[in-house]
Amino acid sequence: MLSLPLPDMSARLQRFSIPIRVRVLFPVSIPVSIPSIPVPLEKKVRAATYLCVLAIACATLSTALWLPLSLVPVLGLVAIPNLLVCMIVLLYAIPSLAYLLLAQDHPPAHVRGLFLPLNPVRNFGILLALAHYLLFLTHWLPRWGLSVARLLLERLALRLGEPGGVRPSPVTRDGESGTGETGGSGGTGDVAERSGLFDGFAKFGIPYANDYGKEMLLDVYLPKTKGKRRRSNTTSHSPHRSTRPHAPDNDPSNIPSSTPSASPGPSSSPGPRPRPQTAASTPSSSGIEMSPSTRARRRLGRGKPVIVFLYDLGILGPIKPKRTWFVLLGAKLAEMGYVVVVPDITLYPGGSAETMVRDARCVLRWVGENISVHGGDPSSIFLSGHGLGAHLALFTLSQEAVVRSRDERELARSQMRHSGRRWREKAMAGQDEVFGWPAMPPPTPTPAPYGGGSGEISGTGNSGGVGEGVPNGLRSLRVYGAEVAIPPVAGVILFSPVSDIIKQIRHESSLWLEHLSPVRRALGPSQTMCMRNSLGHLLFAAKNVLQPDKLPRRVLVIHGAQDRLVPLDSAHWLSELLYGLDVQTSFRPYRNLGHFELITELMKGLEGEYSARLERDLRDFIRDEHGKR
């Protein structure tokens, strides 16, 4: 009789593909292969995550139980081995949980299935980094929460003290009072405040782009002014403000010249007459169509400097940063007299480097078109960023500058090649006065290298073709989101910038964090893509092609010497590279500040020892550049 329990066995081993030998009563084995049923990776990750959480909970409770018992002389013989087992379980379970949450997208090529750390040294490094991260959160989150609560109470007390108390903020088309006029999906006319609690302080949730079916929002923090005193306070009262007077109301360029054919009637007002407008809107030099209020503010120079802040896009942890986290930073910079814009940027895995650059360009376009409504000067925009956000800020501007310089160079070399060929043909034909020059004898061919092959004509100026001098990586470079026109940027402020992606990945590898950080996956994941999307590689490769006038005029680099996530050498190398490209660069290192402390020192209510120095550096940088305009 045969014994074939195949149905039960296949039900138990349905997740595996192993050969099963079915034995019969006589000594013969028949191989039977059970087909495998693939399990989705998401289910495996979910099951492994639950298992890690259960193991961490059990090991933590067991550690709390065995730790005091290990101090007892007799019970210690049993407690100490169990305590060591619990610590080993935690050593592997906690890093495995971090990998399950952060490192399953785009794992290395050799990984099949779940990507988990097995090296105990790597696990110990991950635990050390996690301890630093949790220590910072426990120190910073309570202070941040108290500061936000204090800010809300201040706004509430201020609004209750005004006549009428807290009231809804009407949406008007007046550039001074409301959300302003709009121009399409990036405008602000369809934004209404839920309450008047933040009137005069900030405008939250303004859409600036609606790409890929997702609405991107930003917050605008208004400078601290009181009613009609805004204009009178813009020209004096602060030693840090530029002494250069703004354009006066009696600007001769705004007064039409008087001619005999002009109407002799007296003027209705003794003041200046505005320049007549022939159209509702006029495109600027950058291709952005400006509204009448934007043109008026740009001509009169009454706007405040604008700071666009891009937060760090590579913060470790499953919680992604949001623009609302930086409300205290916006409040502090607004108190310093600036209009602050904090947008949301598409983060990995929701988007790649191209998506991030396009978001940054959309933000700059919105600022150029609409910031005058909120009291900002569209001609005085300062783009700033922190960490990977600083890399995105300067990379967005440098990419367009490199592509434009390359195209202009290739166009010029093409024209030179064409004109050289014409001159050569006419000169060899014996024609005199070609292009105003006397006829020259025909050029002689130069010997080929090593005496072989056809010779190259000397004096052609085209020995290497049109793309001579352009590295191969730059020939295929394109601008991400080139259809989005951006206004000129007066300066760039970089906080702890990531200058080179490859060097940053190597630094993270020394900390055992390269798989947990989104830098490689967001800007790669291949090495070629990381080099293409690297700011340092881009500028270094284009140093012989790039035209300095297409880069921002001035750059301020601020870095903390105690930064463990982004090394200080990265910022110093970037400042030296920019200085070599004829960009006015200021490098400001701070001895006792880390990666996150550099930003928290500039938050309202979280000021520390270096807050005054940071404010002074920002004021000097913006004043020097804004005063030239």
Side-chain angles (χ1 to χ4, degrees):
M1 180 180 295
L2 295 177
S3 175
L4 298 174
L6 292 181
D8 297 336
M9 187 176 296
S10 62
R12 295 178 183 178
L13 302 178
Q14 60 182 353
R15 296 188 179 184
F16 305 91
S17 178
I18 58 176
I20 298 178
R21 294 184 178 274
V22 182
R23 293 207 174 266
V24 294
L25 295 181
F26 48 91
V28 176
S29 61
I30 304 175
V32 179
S33 179
I34 300 177
S36 61
I37 300 178
V39 178
L41 183 61
E42 293 78 6
K43 293 185 177 180
K44 294 182 180 179
V45 172
R46 189 181 301 112
T49 302
Y50 293 153
L51 183 61
C52 287
V53 171
L54 181 61
I56 293 173
C58 295
T60 303
L61 294 177
S62 300
T63 302
L65 174 64
W66 294 113
L67 183 60
L69 294 179
S70 63
L71 302 178
V72 181
V74 179
L75 298 178
L77 298 176
V78 180
I80 292 177
N82 289 278
L83 182 62
L84 293 178
V85 171
C86 294
M87 296 178 64
I88 293 175
V89 171
L90 292 176
L91 178 64
Y92 280 90
I94 295 178
S96 298
L97 179 61
Y99 266 62
L100 290 171
L101 294 177
L102 302 175
Q104 299 305 313
D105 296 331
H106 299 289
H110 65 276
V111 176
R112 296 293 184 269
L114 295 179
F115 182 35
L116 299 176
L118 301 178
N119 188 354
V121 180
R122 173 180 294 272
N123 292 345
F124 184 77
I126 295 174
L127 289 178
L128 185 61
L130 182 60
H132 283 281
Y133 186 69
L134 294 178
L135 182 63
F136 169 77
L137 290 181
T138 54
H139 174 71
W140 177 74
L141 281 180
R143 297 179 57 198
W144 182 84
L146 292 176
S147 300
V148 171
R150 189 183 303 113
L151 178 63
L152 293 177
L153 292 178
E154 290 178 1
R155 295 302 308 172
L156 182 59
L158 181 63
R159 299 301 295 165
L160 290 178
E162 295 181 357
V166 179
R167 58 187 184 277
S169 175
V171 179
T172 64
R173 288 188 175 271
D174 186 4
E176 293 288 339
S177 60
T179 53
E181 52 194 347
T182 101
S185 61
T188 58
D190 55 348
V191 179
E193 295 291 331
R194 296 181 179 179
S195 66
L197 182 61
F198 296 103
D199 286 351
F201 170 73
K203 303 292 183 181
F204 297 106
I206 302 177
Y208 70 86
N210 192 8
D211 298 333
Y212 311 108
K214 179 181 179 182
E215 189 176 56
M216 304 300 296
L217 306 177
L218 57 82
D219 298 336
V220 179
Y221 298 88
L222 309 177
K224 189 175 182 180
T225 54
K226 295 183 179 180
K228 298 182 179 180
R229 296 177 56 187
R230 172 183 298 181
R231 295 184 179 178
S232 63
N233 291 341
T234 55
T235 57
S236 62
H237 84 70
S238 176
H240 299 287
R241 188 174 297 278
S242 173
T243 56
R244 172 183 177 271
H246 295 292
D249 291 340
N250 56 355
D251 189 354
S253 62
N254 296 334
I255 304 176
S257 59
S258 59
T259 58
S261 61
S263 59
S267 175
S268 58
S269 61
R273 288 179 294 175
R275 181 178 298 176
Q277 301 292 339
T278 58
S281 60
T282 305
S284 64
S285 59
S286 60
I288 299 178
E289 188 172 351
M290 298 182 296
S291 62
S293 62
T294 302
R295 295 198 310 272
R297 284 189 178 276
R298 179 173 292 188
R299 183 174 65 251
L300 298 177
R302 294 174 180 172
K304 300 294 185 66
V306 183
I307 298 179
V308 181
F309 179 76
L310 306 179
Y311 49 74
D312 194 349
L313 309 175
I315 295 180
L316 297 177
I319 303 177
K320 303 299 181 181
K322 300 293 183 182
R323 70 182 190 279
T324 52
W325 291 14
F326 303 92
V327 59
L328 299 178
L329 177 65
K332 182 65 176 181
L333 296 178
E335 283 187 355
M336 296 171 61
Y338 309 125
V339 179
V340 186
V341 179
V342 182
D344 266 337
I345 302 295
T346 304
L347 302 178
Y348 178 84
S352 59
E354 182 174 358
T355 309
M356 298 177 186
V357 172
R358 179 179 174 81
D359 289 345
R361 295 181 67 89
C362 289
V363 171
L364 291 175
R365 178 185 63 181
W366 184 94
V367 171
E369 294 177 351
N370 301 280
I371 201 60
S372 61
V373 177
H374 303 282
D377 185 3
S379 62
S380 184
I381 301 174
F382 294 86
L383 185 59
S384 65
H386 177 226
L388 201 59
H391 177 276
L392 174 63
L394 191 54
F395 180 80
T396 301
L397 304 178
S398 301
Q399 190 184 54
E400 182 175 3
V402 170
V403 171
R404 290 175 58 189
S405 300
R406 179 205 63 191
D407 294 344
E408 292 181 6
R409 176 188 175 93
E410 292 186 354
L411 179 61
R413 293 185 65 87
S414 177
Q415 294 176 351
M416 292 176 60
R417 178 185 180 184
H418 180 67
S419 60
R421 184 185 298 111
R422 292 176 55 194
W423 179 86
R424 191 166 58 253
E425 292 174 354
K426 293 186 178 182
M428 296 179 67
Q431 299 182 9
D432 296 334
E433 301 296 330
V434 180
F435 301 111
W437 300 335
M440 297 181 63
T444 58
T446 58
Y450 306 105
S454 59
E456 179 183 335
I457 302 298
S458 64
T460 61
N462 189 36
S463 59
V466 176
E468 180 187 3
V470 179
N472 294 330
L474 297 183
R475 296 180 182 180
S476 59
L477 183 67
R478 61 184 179 88
V479 179
Y480 298 153
E483 68 278 3
V484 181
I486 60 176
V489 175
V492 180
I493 305 173
L494 307 177
F495 297 95
S496 301
V498 176
S499 60
D500 191 285
I501 299 301
I502 301 299
K503 293 181 180 179
Q504 178 65 23
I505 295 176
R506 293 175 180 173
H507 174 71
E508 293 174 350
S509 300
S510 64
L511 301 176
W512 309 102
L513 301 176
E514 73 276 14
H515 299 307
L516 298 179
S517 172
V519 173
R520 177 186 64 85
R521 292 167 289 168
L523 302 179
S526 64
Q527 183 178 2
T528 303
M529 291 302 299
C530 287
M531 295 177 63
R532 183 182 296 271
N533 297 325
S534 174
L535 174 63
H537 279 80
L538 177 65
L539 294 178
F540 188 81
K543 61 182 180 180
N544 296 327
V545 180
L546 183 60
Q547 301 178 16
D549 59 340
K550 290 181 170 52
L551 288 173
R553 291 182 294 270
R554 301 182 68 228
V555 176
L556 174 62
V557 181
I558 303 176
H559 206 102
Q562 303 300 322
D563 195 336
R564 297 183 68 252
L565 297 180
V566 182
L568 181 64
D569 296 341
S570 175
H572 184 263
W573 180 80
L574 178 61
S575 62
E576 292 292 335
L577 179 61
L578 292 173
Y579 185 79
L581 294 173
D582 295 334
V583 178
Q584 299 183 22
T585 307
S586 302
F587 178 58
R588 295 289 185 270
Y590 283 81
R591 181 187 304 174
N592 297 323
L593 292 183
H595 186 75
F596 300 106
E597 289 82 2
L598 203 62
I599 296 299
T600 57
E601 289 281 325
L602 284 174
M603 290 187 175
K604 183 177 180 180
L606 301 179
E607 294 88 349
E609 177 182 359
Y610 295 95
S611 298
R613 292 179 55 186
L614 286 170
E615 294 178 20
R616 183 172 64 251
D617 288 342
L618 292 179
R619 289 183 186 275
D620 293 342
F621 179 79
I622 296 178
R623 183 187 70 243
D624 293 342
E625 185 60 35
H626 185 65
K628 298 178 183 178
R629 307 194 62 80

